Each structure stands twice: as C-alpha cells, then as structure tokens.
Amino acid sequence: MAETHSLQDLRHQAAVIAKVFIQRDYTNGTLCQFQTKFPSELETKIDKQQFEETVRTLNNLYAEAEKLGSQSYVEGCLACLTAYTIFLCMETHYEKVLKKIAKYIQEQNDKVYAPRGLLLTDPLERGLRVIEITIFEDRSLTQ
Amino acid sequence: MKSCDSQQTDLQAVPTPAPIPPPHAASRGPRGARRKWEVFPGKNRFYCGGRIMAAQQSGVLPLTLGLILVTTGLFFIFDCPFLVKHLSSCVPAVGAVLFVFVFITLLQTSFSDPGILPRATPEEAADVERQIDSSGDSSYGPPPRTREVVINQQVVKLKYCFTCKMFRPPRTSHCSLCDNCVERFDHHCPWVGNCVGKRNYRFFYTFIVSLSFLTSFIFSCVSTHLAMRAQDGRGLVSALQESPGSAVELVICFFSVWSILGLSGFHTYLVASNLTTNEDIKGSWSGKSGDVASNPFSHRNVFVNCGSVLCTPLPPSLIDRRGFLPEEEEPAQTCCTDVQLPASANNTQRKCSQGRKGLLESAAPSPLQSTSCPQGEPQTVPPGPRRPSPADSEPTRQASNGCRAQHSAGSQGNASSARHSHHKSRMKKHKEAALSISNPTSHGPVAPTCPDSVPTSRGTSSTQA
C-alpha cells in the first residue's frame, strides 16, 4: 500500500522533467519487441542491467502472447468452426498475456522505477508503439 | 487562472475517493468524462457506445447484405420445398449453416477494428521529430522521412506517416478512406464497408470462402431444381414460370460465383504465401529478383503461413474505444468550466494552470509544457464526435485520383485486378444510381487502395500545417 501511495504521489504531485521513448525493434518482423538499447537520459537514474532486464522480460512476454504453437492452431480451428463467435464469450490468449504484462509493469513500477522517480507506461496505452518512461522531478516523495 | 487556482485549493480539501486505477480501465466515471471513441481522430463511425465501429462510408455494404439476404430468402422460399420433397431434407440445413456463417463473418468483418494504430501522442511525435532532425543534414534539404530496418536479411523501408506522426511498422499502411494507419493492411473493401487488416483478415477470409460455398451451393441447387422441373416434359420456360424466384437466384449466382470463387482463390494464394493484397499489387517483394520467395515475412512453408495468418491469437484492439479519456486530455478552454466535477478532477485544475503557462510560453519546444494541457493535440479534440477535416479531403482527392491511375496502369497483367475491374464495370451503374456522392471515395469498388502514395502527397501539401 505504501508503494502505491508513493506512485500516486509521483503522478499527481511531482513535475515531469522529460519522457523517454523506447521504440519498437522490427528486426524479427512484425512481432512486438522493443529495443534494449539503454537511453542516455536514464544513465543517472537507473542501472543499465535492471533496465535491460525489464525490457527483455517484456519482449519475452509479448513473444509468448503472439506465439504460434499447437494450442493456437487448435484455438484458431475451433474459432473458425464457430464462425469466430467464441471471441465474444472467451478471453483470447493474447488478452490473458496482456493482463500478465500489465501486472508485471505495475510491479516493476512499484519496486524499481517509482523509488527512482521514474514511471513506466504500459505500451498498450500507446498502441504498442513505444514504452514511455516518464522522468519525474527529484523531490522527496513523502509530504 | 486565478479562479482555477482557488478552485484547486477548494477541491484539494476533498479527499480523493479511491486509489487511482490504471488509466485505461473504465472504472472511473466522473460526470462529463468522455470515452475515447468520442474523440477518435479517424474517419470512423461508432455505435453502441463504441462497441461497434464502421468506416465512414458504408460503401456497398447494404448492397452486399441485400444480395445475400434476397438470394438466400428466395432459395428457402422457392427451391427448398421442392428439393426437400424430391431430393433430401438436408438441403435447407446445409443452406442455413452456410448462410449463418456468411452473415456472421460479414458482420464481424464490417464492424470490427481492422487493426488501427492509434496516432502518436504529442510527446512521441516531438521525440520522433527530434530524432529525424538530428539524423538529417539540414544543408541537403528536408531530413529523411524513412527508416531502414533489416528483417530476415532483407532491407525493409519504414515510412513516416504525416497524419499519424509516427514511423509506420512494417506492413502497415495508411488508409486514406478511413484516415487511419492499419496494421498488416490488406485493402479497403467497399463490399464490406471497412478496411481489411491484421485483426479482421481471418473474418474476411472466412466470409469470402463461405460465400463462395454458399453461392455455388445455391447455384447448383437452383440448377438441379429447374432441371428436375423441366424434366417432367414441360420445358425450362414453364419451370421458370412456376418458380420465378429461381430465375432471379440463377442470374445473381451465375454472375457472382465466378468473381467470388476467383477472389477466394486469390486470397488463398495470399494466405499461403503470407502476402497482403497491398504488397502483391505493389510488388513489394518481387521487385528486383522477380522471386516471390523474397518476402521476408513468409515462413517458407504453406501450412505455417496459413497458421500464422489465420490461427495466431487474435491481437487486441489498440484504440481502446471504450476507455475513458485521461483528464489531462480534456480541452484547456473547458477545464476551468468543469469546476463542478468531483474531487478526482483536482488534477485537471492543476494541469489547467500549467497549460495556461504553456500557452503563454508557446515558443518553447519542450514537450512537457505543451502536453500538460491538450492544446498540444488540437486535432484530437474536435467539436463533434466525427471530424473529417476539410483540409484532408483535398490531398485525399488528389491521392485517390492518382491512385486510380496507378491502379489501372499497374494492374494489367494481374488476374485478381481483372476480377476487381469486372466488379467495377458491373457495379458502376448500380453505384452511380444508388450513391450520389461527390466525395473522393466514390471511385468505384476498387478493392485495394494505394495508401502509401497518400502520405507523400499529404507530405507535400501538409508540411506547412
């Protein structure tokens, strides 16, 4: 609870200094992957290893969402047979993984990024184009 | 501004009701908060509170629906009773199943999000502009608006979309009719009145395949019916007189079965080689070596290609139609009039004062100031729910005329385009009679558009904007 309270403080009381955008990495085609290159604006704020690990985990989660395996074939055939009406009742595999991703980002924000005055925005809110990292003004979070 | 600040202190005294949920959850609903579909910048129409979406022009969708309903209705009324008696009772059952498939997939294709990419936020757009400016050398003219990326040992060019203010991902195209960038853009289909893209391609493919089965089935049933009637020695003419509906069905089915079967065959080929209509028509991957296998997205295996196009988990809609607008995006000029809002609007007040400052410091390029209050994105907060801006129709008109010329020039040897032009000639008279639009989009049922030609013309005409 204390962590979410400080996250709220960050969003509503601290001033935004800058926003860094991690762009998509298209070298594997249209799969949703983000570049792991460490942006220079974050050099003083966070550890490079920590950042790369976050982005790599996100990339793995997105790859899992779009994975083409036997399960997705079965789901696809079943959906086709029902004229895709099961999409109205069932949550798709992609949506399930997106929920996992949202939880992961929330957890990373609470544990790693908020204490350093940073905030990760879920790429889904930006149309899966970028990971937006907001850098907040460095002031004490407790008032 | 003073009234804003005093309101701010008043509202801060009221405790915030609950922990703020993630911005895209729909759980907060203060009075006056709008949903994202209401300020959607593209040319789309929304129904049922944003749950159903369609392109601005429904194209020939009513005609498609009408033809399918009329033909199937006549089939059940005129042919089924005879065939049940003389042939088998599973005829209407099969017909019903096929019709249900066709109808449901048609509605899904027309009313779902084809894979629209939401436009870049002002901060993102500013960041991309900065990168473009820093990478270009100003003495050699305008900075490059393309990026190159290597996918599967092949260089793919990413183009910058001036409308959406971002570099388009590979296989994404901007549809000039809907004014949106659509992922894995196939074509804008006037028959279904929507773009066909990543999210609804499987619905479209199932629609045309089941429609070809339905049309062939009805055609063969009607032929059997008329043949059986004529066999009784009374001749074909009397058979037609006894069952006039069958004559209508015969005509409709005869003319449509070839086009639809051809279209299904063409799309089966596209699915098997993991191509889009857009790429096939523009010859994106067969340019230099003349070898289709140079498509970097193909898995080189027909079954894997089919699986990756039709069986991957359905991606979510990225435009979040039913999400509530975050309060930072409420317009600057109205945020001080919304003082009646409950306590969670204290952000709006603070952002309002920051935004006023931003207005005064208009020369500063810092993204911070321009985005605290939404004067940074005027085009997304329009006066009404749908806003095709008049400025956009001019470049679109030029682009689509140029597009049409490009199509007729480039599609001579292409069998699929021959079918499309067959459609065009057949349907032109219907179109001109039924639709009296002087709109740039009334350029006939040419299925594929040339969305990539649009940004270049947009670019030249709108760089001043």
Side-chain angles (χ1 to χ4, degrees):
Chain A
M1 285 305 129
E3 287 104 358
T4 38
H5 184 67
S6 70
L7 195 57
Q8 260 178 276
D9 285 344
L10 255 186
R11 278 188 186 172
H12 306 302
Q13 292 171 17
V16 176
I17 298 181
K19 292 195 183 191
V20 182
F21 297 99
I22 314 296
Q23 300 285 340
R24 283 272 294 270
D25 176 18
Y26 295 115
T27 50
N28 283 330
T30 49
L31 287 177
C32 183
Q33 302 279 284
F34 291 96
Q35 292 177 357
T36 48
K37 184 167 144 293
F38 188 59
S40 51
E41 293 93 330
L42 296 179
E43 259 159 29
T44 51
K45 296 274 179 179
I46 192 169
D47 192 27
K48 184 176 168 181
Q49 295 286 67
Q50 187 67 62
F51 169 80
E52 277 179 11
E53 207 220 289
T54 309
V55 179
R56 223 170 271 136
T57 314
L58 282 175
N59 283 344
N60 289 338
L61 284 170
Y62 281 114
E64 187 198 320
E66 296 182 48
K67 198 171 71 139
L68 190 63
S70 55
Q71 193 198 2
S72 60
Y73 274 111
V74 167
E75 273 180 16
C77 290
L78 184 69
C80 183
L81 288 174
T82 60
Y84 300 107
T85 47
I86 58 168
F87 289 145
L88 299 170
C89 349
M90 210 180 75
E91 195 184 47
T92 67
H93 173 67
Y94 209 116
E95 284 165 359
K96 289 190 189 125
V97 180
L98 284 177
K99 287 205 172 133
K100 244 183 10 184
I101 291 173
K103 225 166 64 171
Y104 174 75
I105 290 180
Q106 176 80 28
E107 178 207 341
Q108 285 285 294
N109 271 333
D110 290 341
K111 290 199 193 131
V112 179
Y113 289 85
R116 292 172 168 81
L118 298 172
L119 186 70
L120 282 180
T121 308
D122 193 339
L124 190 65
E125 293 170 37
R126 298 287 176 259
L128 293 183
R129 291 183 305 264
V130 287
I131 304 177
E132 186 180 297
I133 305 181
T134 316
I135 304 177
F136 286 98
E137 200 178 311
D138 198 9
R139 64 164 98 144
S140 84
L141 299 172
T142 52
Q143 288 206 336
Chain B
M1 188 160 6
K2 272 205 180 139
S3 61
C4 256
D5 287 339
S6 60
Q7 286 297 336
Q8 178 186 330
T9 34
D10 284 342
L11 289 170
Q12 260 185 339
V14 181
T16 24
I20 306 290
H24 69 279
S27 53
R28 53 181 163 144
R31 274 167 307 179
R34 292 188 290 170
R35 292 193 190 259
K36 290 182 187 170
W37 66 265
E38 297 180 56
V39 297
F40 186 69
K43 293 181 191 170
N44 288 92
R45 289 179 292 176
F46 296 90
Y47 305 104
C48 291
R51 290 179 181 90
I52 294 176
M53 63 182 288
Q56 194 179 49
Q57 271 90 32
S58 56
V60 217
L61 175 65
L63 179 70
T64 312
L65 276 170
L67 280 174
I68 293 172
L69 289 170
V70 161
T71 314
T72 318
L74 288 175
F75 171 72
F76 282 118
I77 294 170
F78 286 95
D79 301 286
C80 279
F82 185 88
L83 288 170
V84 163
K85 211 164 34 162
H86 292 87
L87 203 61
S88 156
S89 57
C90 61
V91 163
V94 171
V97 166
L98 284 174
F99 171 70
V100 162
F101 250 79
V102 165
F103 196 69
I104 292 180
T105 47
L106 173 61
L107 293 182
Q108 285 176 326
T109 314
S110 302
F111 297 128
S112 63
D113 174 9
I116 295 174
L117 277 178
R119 298 188 183 183
T121 56
E123 303 101 41
E124 278 179 66
D127 187 63
V128 170
E129 286 282 334
R130 257 200 309 272
Q131 284 182 18
I132 293 174
D133 289 338
S134 64
S135 67
D137 188 349
S138 53
S139 61
Y140 288 110
R145 297 268 171 175
T146 57
R147 252 186 208 161
E148 290 189 350
V149 67
V150 178
I151 301 175
N152 266 340
Q153 288 103 43
Q154 195 164 342
V155 175
V156 175
K157 259 200 185 142
L158 303 184
K159 293 189 187 157
Y160 182 76
C161 182
F162 284 93
T163 315
C164 305
K165 306 242 184 318
M166 59 179 177
F167 278 97
R168 281 190 221 120
R171 315 191 93 176
T172 302
S173 254
H174 191 95
C175 176
S176 52
L177 295 171
C178 305
D179 204 22
N180 291 313
C181 268
V182 176
E183 283 192 290
R184 204 184 181 279
F185 181 79
D186 195 85
H187 65 285
H188 182 101
C189 186
W191 295 95
V192 303
N194 199 5
C195 287
V196 177
K198 181 161 117 174
R199 291 189 78 247
N200 67 349
Y201 188 74
R202 64 192 75 192
F203 306 143
F204 176 74
Y205 182 71
T206 315
F207 166 62
I208 56 174
V209 167
S210 45
L211 186 63
S212 27
F213 278 120
L214 180 70
T215 334
S216 337
F217 180 72
I218 291 182
F219 187 65
S220 47
C221 285
V222 170
S223 313
T224 313
H225 172 206
L226 290 174
M228 286 170 92
R229 271 197 200 256
Q231 240 175 15
D232 297 344
R234 286 169 289 172
L236 185 61
V237 178
S238 65
L240 284 172
Q241 279 171 345
E242 281 168 34
S243 180
S246 304
V248 174
E249 290 170 60
L250 206 60
V251 167
I252 295 177
C253 286
F254 180 75
F255 285 112
S256 41
V257 76
W258 312 113
S259 338
I260 295 170
L261 275 176
L263 193 62
S264 308
F266 174 62
H267 277 279
T268 307
Y269 156 73
L270 289 181
V271 165
S273 34
N274 202 334
L275 276 175
T276 63
T277 307
N278 198 26
E279 287 163 358
D280 185 72
I281 292 213
K282 281 159 61 176
S284 310
W285 313 124
S286 59
K288 294 174 179 82
S289 56
D291 175 25
V292 181
S294 65
N295 174 12
F297 303 103
S298 167
H299 299 268
R300 312 276 183 266
N301 177 323
V302 166
F303 297 108
V304 179
N305 278 340
C306 292
S308 73
V309 176
L310 302 173
C311 295
T312 44
L314 188 68
S317 174
L318 296 174
I319 53 177
D320 190 24
R321 310 186 281 275
R322 293 199 30 90
F324 284 102
L325 279 177
E327 284 152 2
E328 292 88 24
E329 285 181 34
E330 291 294 345
Q333 57 272 27
T334 63
C335 73
C336 286
T337 63
D338 288 347
V339 294
Q340 310 308 323
L341 286 177
S344 55
N346 55 1
N347 312 321
T348 318
Q349 307 309 315
R350 185 174 315 104
K351 297 290 184 235
C352 180
S353 50
Q354 275 186 344
R356 290 299 175 90
K357 228 188 336 175
L359 265 174
L360 297 171
E361 297 175 38
S362 56
S366 103
L368 159 63
Q369 299 293 346
S370 60
T371 57
S372 307
C373 226
Q375 74 276 10
E377 40 180 303
Q379 76 272 24
T380 63
V381 189
R386 298 189 306 275
R387 66 259 7 123
S389 53
D392 280 352
S393 57
E394 287 312 287
T396 316
R397 209 184 296 262
Q398 296 168 312
S400 46
N401 285 339
C403 209
R404 200 184 334 179
Q406 259 181 320
H407 267 294
S408 36
S411 61
Q412 297 308 323
N414 194 325
S416 62
S417 302
R419 253 166 248 115
H420 290 310
S421 50
H422 159 70
H423 266 281
K424 202 200 304 200
S425 53
R426 219 190 86 206
M427 299 315 304
K428 213 169 178 137
K429 34 185 192 274
H430 291 262
K431 257 246 138 158
E432 280 157 17
L435 307 162
S436 53
I437 325 168
S438 56
N439 200 288
T441 55
S442 65
H443 55 342
V446 177
T449 57
C450 273
D452 276 325
S453 65
V454 175
T456 8
S457 52
R458 261 186 207 284
T460 49
S461 58
S462 67
T463 30
Q464 298 86 357

